[in-house]
Amino acid sequence: MKEYVLVYVENTETGSIVILYKNRPIWQAGLINLCGGLIEEGETVLEAAVRELKEESGIVIDKNCEYIGELGKIVDGDSIIHCVAVFLNKSVLLTTDEDQVPEWVYWDNIKSFPKLIPNLKVIIPLMHMRLDGWEVVDEYRSKTSALHEIRVKIPDLR
């Protein structure tokens, strides 16, 4: 089973988040996603998140990071995607050496965009709330149906 990270970054001063306009992989070309990628052999979830964040947005985790941690996961047929939240106390200039474009945006401005990967409509609010221990079951990539159906498991908050 392959393991990946998906990294949600929020500026707590402005409420803006980092998104990527994707060119690859092919199934994501032209879509909006968060930073992330494959966890390399020997890496922990947080090490992979820090590496992917730097590669795809230029953000380096330092004293401006209020919080970094895994809050939930996406179970996607043959893979697990560990969802890591990063909360920064200031804006950081975004840069990348890759062929995808990072940008600071406000959630209210993009939540209805048709180019937003559908499961993010659930995942981004969970990350913003800092809700811990949730799981999204999403088999979209392994099915041929155009319908994007997900199931969300949220921990008992009592």
Side-chain angles (χ1 to χ4, degrees):
M1 180 169 288
K2 291 188 177 183
E3 293 190 67
Y4 300 85
V5 292
L6 182 71
V7 188
Y8 170 85
V9 180
E10 180 179 319
N11 175 341
T12 57
E13 287 185 342
T14 66
S16 58
I17 63 173
V18 175
I19 59 156
L20 286 179
Y21 296 96
K22 300 290 286 187
N23 292 313
R24 59 182 168 77
I26 285 295
W27 73 271
Q28 288 187 33
L31 299 177
I32 296 170
N33 201 352
L34 301 177
C35 296
L38 186 66
I39 298 174
E40 295 177 358
E41 190 171 328
E43 274 186 322
T44 67
V45 168
L46 292 183
E47 288 169 342
V50 168
R51 176 184 51 77
E52 288 288 349
L53 193 56
K54 183 177 182 204
E55 289 174 1
E56 295 184 347
S57 70
I59 294 175
V60 175
I61 300 302
D62 61 13
K63 66 184 183 311
N64 296 313
C65 181
E66 292 178 12
Y67 174 86
I68 181 172
E70 181 178 357
L71 294 181
K73 62 184 173 182
I74 304 166
V75 179
D76 181 8
D78 64 344
S79 62
I80 295 176
I81 304 167
H82 300 271
C83 298
V84 174
V86 174
F87 292 89
L88 304 174
N89 59 19
K90 73 174 205 172
S91 285
V92 177
L93 179 65
L94 301 177
T95 61
T96 187
D97 293 330
E98 299 191 3
D99 63 345
Q100 41 207 0
V101 180
E103 183 180 349
W104 286 104
V105 299
Y106 293 99
W107 174 240
D108 284 342
N109 293 343
I110 65 158
K111 66 184 177 185
S112 298
F113 277 19
K115 297 285 185 178
L116 185 68
I117 290 182
N119 64 17
L120 293 181
K121 292 177 182 182
V122 173
I123 293 164
I124 288 175
L126 291 171
M127 299 285 251
H128 172 73
M129 291 185 303
R130 300 187 193 204
L131 184 62
D132 192 9
W134 50 268
E135 181 178 294
V136 169
V137 179
D138 184 356
E139 297 177 353
Y140 177 69
R141 289 191 302 160
S142 61
K143 293 187 177 180
T144 57
S145 169
L147 177 64
H148 195 91
E149 183 177 322
I150 62 174
R151 294 181 305 281
V152 181
K153 299 176 184 178
I154 298 177
D156 188 352
L157 301 176
R158 289 182 262 161

